[in-house]
Structure formats: structure tokens, C-alpha cells
Amino acid sequence: MPKIIIDGKEIEFKQGQTIIEAAKDNGIEIPHFCWHPKLSVSGNCRMCLVEVEKMPKLVIACATVASDGMVVHTESSKAIAARNAVMEFLLINHPLDCPICDEAGECKLQDYAYQHSIGESRFVEDKVHKDKRVKIGPRVMFDAERCISCSRCIRFCDEIAKDSELTFIKRGDRVTITTFPGEELDNPYSMNVVDICPVGALTNADFRFKARVWDMSHTNSVCIGCARGCNIEMWVRNNEILRLTPRHNEDVNSYWMCDHGRLNTFKFVNSQTRVDSPHIRKEGRLVRVGWDEAFAEAASRLKSISKDQIAVIGSPYATCEDNFIVSKFARSVLGTNNTDFIRHTDYSFADEILRREDITPNSLGAELVGVKPQKNGLNIDGIIKAIKDGKIKALYLIEDDMLSIDSELENYLAKLEVFIVNATNFNQSTNFADIVFPAATYAEKNGTFVNFQGRMQRIRPAVATVEIDRALEGMALSRLDKFGTKFDRWAQGKHFDARSTWKILSSLANVLGYKMKYQMAEDVFNEMSLSLLEFKGLDYDVIGDLGTQLKIEKVNVV
């Protein structure tokens, strides 16, 4: 391979790479604003100026193709002086409102002002004032005074979202971005411009002014908005999720995620509709009870029903670990082969970028771990028909809503002798349930999902429940978590009394006389890896932060 020397270090690079790409691949950081690895080169910020031997002038590393034997200096006196000059120009009209800026703490301009600036300005004239607090789209706010005209947002709309909505106007020191006449920044991926904006010019309207970045913990997880399974970071303050941001994974979602996944997949976690502690229906209404009472009641009722009259419905929203125990519980504990899960598809939701027709995160995973009809068992359509015909007397529903697919079931669910639901939130189905167990959400448990490509990925707890302590469980800690006390307002966030479905079913199985001795999700996964061919040789360490591709013959491409 060809080689290039950067600051005295000889490194290999791929033919056709630019200097900044070769440096990045080898862990060398060249400061930049406008360059982004997934966008075209614009070369307009000039922050990446470097000195190349045998070239008469400084060159921009983002647009200069590396060549064999090239010698580059990023820390020469010429490069440093140019960088200082660029920073001075950028800061001339910048409002310097870091104390109130949402980007503070993760701002390139802020970081580079300390690392690559002389620390003072020679500009004594009045700064140019521009429009502030502009709602450039339904989900994005724009502050023109902070904008450094890097054009990342414009290029993103043109090249990634495939919807040209933004452009420069007024060139010169009055330059700003705006939408084309009659347009607004409302494409399904519009909020990615907030992530790639190197300053605080574009901000998330939903998250704006809610928290400082250093006051939040951030946990690697997976989006549950569809079968793509975009890699995300979950940001939590006071035990409440405040925002989701995309996490780079070139095999899944690159640097992006859709606005639906960013805004509509986490707010149920701290919703007022959360199921907090078990409930049993008494005198026509659900009443809070203890776990032991709920387990005893569920076991007593299930024992009175013939196994052929019982059905168990798993969930594509639940983890592989949850669904594995669902399948095992149905077959080995209840003795029923009537088990399946509901498929949720929305063809209008899909696009050619990231979004999929399957709007659940783990349909393929549920199939792989055995949540499907066993020998002579009923599938989901057969279960629904049997409920209507009165042949199914007991139904156990896991983390889903039967009435979301068939509103006519309302009359039949009320007639079931036993209807048990594991639910994260109260929904239409829980209105008819005899017993409701509070299930932990994807933000409160360990586990795995398998996306439509057959890629297994991990989720981790970011929000603590009653039985999970943030510090003791090794969860990510923010500055407030580390240094606050239980008397501080930011340490009094709501902790729901909820458990993972695998743990609920394991406890219920024990009451029914079938011993399940799992202590944590990893124990369940270890059994899966031993008993399921597709998961052979896997563990949580192998899956890692970026997931692993399963070797399966047939992949569900819905």
C-alpha cells in the first residue's frame, strides 16, 4: 500500500483517499468544520489547512488527495498561524453565547477556540446581527448569528435526505442559510442536521434548553422504531430520557437516524401511562398489589385451564431473551403449542434510506428464539379466531396490544376466563386484563434485538427501576449522578416498579412448580447460545457495541 508521512509518522493509506481521510483512519486528528466523512467536500471553512513539502502554499487536507511519499505537517508554524487566523475570522461575528447555547460541551467551535486560537480578538467594531430563534422546520430551530456557513446541513439535505430544502443567501458577512421559497426543513431525517452542525446554529426543538450535556448520562442502545435497529445513544437526566442521538455504525445506519425514531420511541418510558407495580382486577377495576400476590393469583388461574385452551402471544418489541423465555414458558410450563406474535407493518413508513415496513425492532429475533406455532399449534390468526369461537379460555399477552390489530376483539377479551398481560404502559388490552404485570421498557433492561438483516445488537439499561440501582448495576453515570445526593432535585426522578419479561415469567414458572434459575439476562442468553444453532458461540462480549451478523439461511426482509 502507498504511504504518507504526517507529522513524522509514516502511515499507509488507500489509493484515492484525501489527507484528512488517511489521517483519520490512523487516529490523527486534523481540525475541521465543514468536512464530514459521509458528505461531499466543500472546502469552505479552511480550518484543515496543512503544510505539504514541495507545495508552495498551504493546502486544505479535506480536498487534497494523498500521494505516495507525501510529507505533511499539521503543526508547522505556517499551519498553526493559518489555523489561528481562521479561528479569528470565524469568531469575529460569533455571539459568544456559550452559557445559554445548547451545543455547549459538544461544540467544535468551543473546543477549537481553546486548542487552536490565540485567545483574544482584535475586532472592536459592532458585530453583525442576524435572525435568531427561527423555526426553520417543525423540529429544528435556527440561530443565524452562530452559523459559520460550513454548508453541512445543505449538503445533507441534498445528498442524504434527497430533499433539497436549504441554501445560502446574501453572501459576504451577511450570509445565512434559509429554506427555498415555499419550503421548510421537514424531511423525515431533518434532525440529523442538528447532529452534524459543528456549532449551535441548528438545535433540536424538542430538547432545546432542557439540560446541559455534561449533566446527562449517555448509554449505547438500539432504536425500536423499525426493523432497521439504528444504533443510538440514550441521554438521561434525573432518570428521564431527554433525547436520542444516532451512534455511528457503518453496517446499520451510518451516522444517521430518522426523526420518528428520535422523537417518538422513548417518551412512553416516563409517561403517566406506565404500569407501576402489578395489578389484579377486583370488583371490575385494576387494583395495585404486591408481586407475590400477583404471581399466586396468576398461577392459580392458569392451573384451572386445560393446556389446549391456553394461548401465549409473544412480542416483536421484547428482547430475544424475553421471547426465548416466553417460548419456553408456553411449551414447558403451560404445555401449550398455541404461541405466536403480532406482526406490525406500515408500508407508508418505509423509504429507501433507513426506514422499514416492519415497525418493530425484533420480529426476526422472536422467530429465531421460537415464538411461533409448535406442532399442531395455532398461529396468530388461528389464536384470534379461537378466541372469538370460545375455544381459547386463557390468553397471556406479552408487551403488545391485541386491540391495535382487531378492535372487534374487545367483546371477546372480556369473556376470557383468564387474561394476563405483561405491559410497559396501560393500553386498550389492559382495560380487559385480569392481571397486569409491569414490564421493563427497552431503556430499563439488558438484552438483544435482531434486525431485518439478521444482525444481533445489544441494548443496555439507561433508566433505573425500583430493583436496579444506577451505580451498583454499572450503568452510565452523569456528573449529577456522581456528585449529587438523594436530597437534590435532580436525584429524585421516578423509578418504576417494573421487571424484564424473562424475569416475570421465570418467577411465575417457579410458583407453578417449574424451576427457572436465571439471575440476569446474560444467563438467559447463554442458554440461548447453547440451544439455538443461530446463536452458537455468541455472548454479550462478542456482540459488543456494534453487533454481530448471524449466520441464518433465511432472513425476514419485511
Side-chain angles (χ1 to χ4, degrees):
M1 290 183 70
K3 296 181 179 179
I4 185 175
I5 299 173
I6 301 180
D7 293 336
K9 182 180 179 181
E10 186 177 71
I11 60 176
E12 294 182 342
F13 67 92
K14 299 171 187 174
Q15 200 70 43
Q17 281 190 316
T18 59
I19 294 173
I20 199 169
E21 289 173 334
K24 181 177 181 292
D25 285 351
N26 288 274
I28 299 173
E29 174 69 19
I30 296 177
H32 59 277
F33 286 113
C34 68
W35 179 77
H36 188 282
K38 285 299 173 180
L39 301 177
S40 62
V41 173
S42 64
N44 59 358
C45 77
R46 321 309 284 182
M47 191 64 191
C48 64
L49 283 166
V50 295
E51 185 176 3
V52 179
E53 290 186 6
K54 299 182 182 179
M55 287 192 178
K57 295 182 178 180
L58 298 178
V59 299
I60 50 175
C62 67
T64 305
V65 177
S67 60
D68 194 19
M70 181 181 277
V71 180
V72 179
H73 301 284
T74 68
E75 298 296 330
S76 68
S77 58
K78 282 186 179 179
I80 290 173
R83 213 172 291 148
N84 289 341
V86 169
M87 285 301 301
E88 186 174 9
F89 276 119
L90 289 175
L91 291 169
I92 279 176
N93 287 308
H94 194 79
L96 303 178
D97 56 352
C98 302
I100 63 166
C101 179
D102 267 344
E103 192 76 3
E106 49 187 5
C107 172
K108 277 185 177 292
L109 191 66
Q110 199 175 49
D111 293 341
Y112 290 169
Y114 282 94
Q115 298 169 17
H116 307 291
S117 176
I118 58 176
E120 60 182 85
S121 174
R122 295 172 288 176
F123 190 76
V124 296
E125 289 77 17
D126 290 338
K127 292 176 181 281
V128 173
H129 295 289
K130 300 178 183 177
D131 293 336
K132 301 179 75 69
R133 299 177 295 280
V134 178
K135 197 156 189 180
I136 203 168
R139 299 173 289 276
V140 180
M141 299 290 288
F142 177 53
D143 189 318
E145 288 185 353
R146 298 174 185 165
C147 180
I148 61 170
S149 302
C150 71
S151 78
R152 277 185 172 190
C153 54
I154 297 173
R155 285 175 284 146
F156 172 82
C157 291
D158 293 346
E159 299 164 16
I160 306 297
K162 308 295 184 185
D163 193 349
S164 298
E165 296 166 326
L166 299 174
T167 187
F168 282 129
I169 59 169
K170 293 183 182 178
R171 307 288 172 158
D173 66 352
R174 262 69 174 178
V175 67
T176 187
I177 61 170
T178 189
T179 56
F180 287 104
E183 292 272 357
E184 61 177 349
L185 183 61
D186 62 353
N187 70 72
Y189 296 86
S190 66
M191 297 179 74
N192 287 285
V193 301
V194 175
D195 303 318
I196 62 176
C197 180
V199 293
L202 295 166
T203 52
N204 178 339
D206 182 71
F207 172 71
R208 191 173 164 88
F209 299 136
K210 283 189 177 178
R212 286 309 203 177
V213 63
W214 53 82
D215 286 341
M216 296 185 290
S217 62
H218 53 98
T219 304
N220 291 347
S221 192
V222 175
C223 177
I224 61 169
C226 76
R228 173 71 60 178
C230 290
N231 287 210
I232 61 171
E233 284 189 324
M234 196 173 285
W235 297 79
V236 173
R237 182 181 190 271
N238 196 20
N239 213 45
E240 179 182 1
I241 304 171
L242 296 183
R243 70 170 181 177
L244 304 180
T245 55
R247 178 166 53 91
H248 179 227
N249 187 338
E250 209 53 52
D251 293 315
V252 182
N253 58 304
S254 190
Y255 292 88
W256 324 118
M257 71 183 296
C258 73
D259 293 357
H260 169 79
R262 194 186 296 255
L263 293 178
N264 301 325
T265 59
F266 72 88
K267 294 180 181 177
F268 74 96
V269 175
N270 288 92
S271 168
Q272 295 296 318
T273 63
R274 277 299 300 274
V275 181
D276 188 13
S277 82
H279 287 67
I280 294 178
R281 188 168 299 280
K282 297 179 179 180
E283 297 180 0
R285 65 188 186 91
L286 289 173
V287 178
R288 291 181 62 155
V289 296
W291 284 94
D292 290 342
E293 182 181 346
F295 287 138
E297 181 71 12
S300 174
R301 293 200 181 197
L302 287 171
K303 283 179 180 178
S304 65
I305 308 294
S306 168
K307 63 182 181 180
D308 293 331
Q309 296 177 319
I310 300 175
V312 179
I313 297 178
S315 174
Y317 296 103
T319 63
C320 291
E321 290 80 354
D322 291 333
N323 280 306
F324 179 75
I325 298 302
V326 168
S327 176
K328 186 174 181 179
F329 181 83
R331 288 181 287 107
S332 302
V333 181
L334 299 181
T336 180
N337 290 330
N338 304 322
T339 177
D340 202 356
F341 66 92
I342 302 168
R343 279 77 177 169
H344 298 269
T345 56
D346 181 355
Y347 292 96
S348 65
F349 179 78
D351 61 27
E352 296 180 353
I353 303 174
L354 293 177
R355 308 201 322 181
R356 303 293 302 177
E357 296 92 346
D358 180 356
I359 56 174
T360 62
N362 199 34
S363 294
L364 183 53
E367 289 182 12
L368 291 175
V369 299
V371 182
K372 52 191 174 184
Q374 304 302 311
K375 185 177 180 180
N376 300 322
L378 300 174
N379 63 12
I380 188 64
D381 293 330
I383 291 172
I384 292 174
K385 184 176 185 302
I387 292 173
K388 292 180 177 179
D389 293 342
K391 295 179 181 178
I392 294 293
K393 303 292 186 182
L395 177 66
Y396 203 137
L397 176 64
I398 305 295
E399 297 182 43
D400 214 326
D401 183 2
M402 292 288 290
L403 297 180
S404 67
I405 59 164
D406 188 348
S407 58
E408 292 181 1
L409 275 171
E410 183 174 316
N411 297 325
Y412 300 98
L413 292 180
K415 295 177 182 178
L416 287 169
E417 291 185 24
V418 184
F419 183 26
I420 304 173
V421 180
N422 284 10
T424 60
N425 298 68
F426 289 107
N427 55 37
Q428 296 178 82
S429 292
T430 59
N431 292 335
F432 302 94
D434 299 302
I435 302 169
V436 179
F437 288 108
T441 67
Y442 79 115
E444 297 164 330
K445 60 187 176 183
N446 281 293
T448 52
F449 291 142
V450 180
N451 76 355
F452 78 101
Q453 298 166 309
R455 190 172 191 84
M456 174 168 274
Q457 304 183 103
R458 276 199 66 189
I459 60 170
R460 297 169 175 80
V463 175
T465 59
V466 168
E467 69 171 7
I468 294 179
D469 181 88
R470 181 173 293 279
L472 296 179
E473 296 291 331
M475 296 169 64
L477 302 176
S478 68
R479 185 179 68 105
L480 299 184
D481 295 324
K482 292 177 182 177
F483 303 114
T485 71
K486 64 180 181 181
F487 303 107
D488 296 314
R489 289 194 309 276
W490 57 78
Q492 297 173 8
K494 175 69 175 174
H495 289 57
F496 292 100
D497 187 10
R499 300 179 185 177
S500 300
T501 281
W502 68 261
K503 184 172 286 190
I504 295 171
L505 293 180
S506 297
S507 299
L508 181 55
N510 291 336
V511 176
L512 285 164
Y514 186 98
K515 297 300 180 183
M516 291 189 184
K517 298 180 180 180
Y518 307 109
Q519 298 299 316
M520 51 188 180
E522 198 164 2
D523 295 336
V524 182
F525 189 88
N526 290 340
E527 184 173 320
M528 288 163 50
S529 67
L530 293 173
S531 59
L532 300 174
L533 181 63
E534 294 87 354
F535 299 165
K536 187 176 181 180
L538 295 181
D539 59 34
Y540 281 177
D541 291 332
V542 172
I543 296 170
D545 288 334
L546 300 179
T548 186
Q549 187 66 39
L550 300 179
K551 296 177 181 178
I552 51 182
E553 294 181 4
K554 183 180 178 182
V555 175
N556 180 8
V557 294
V558 173

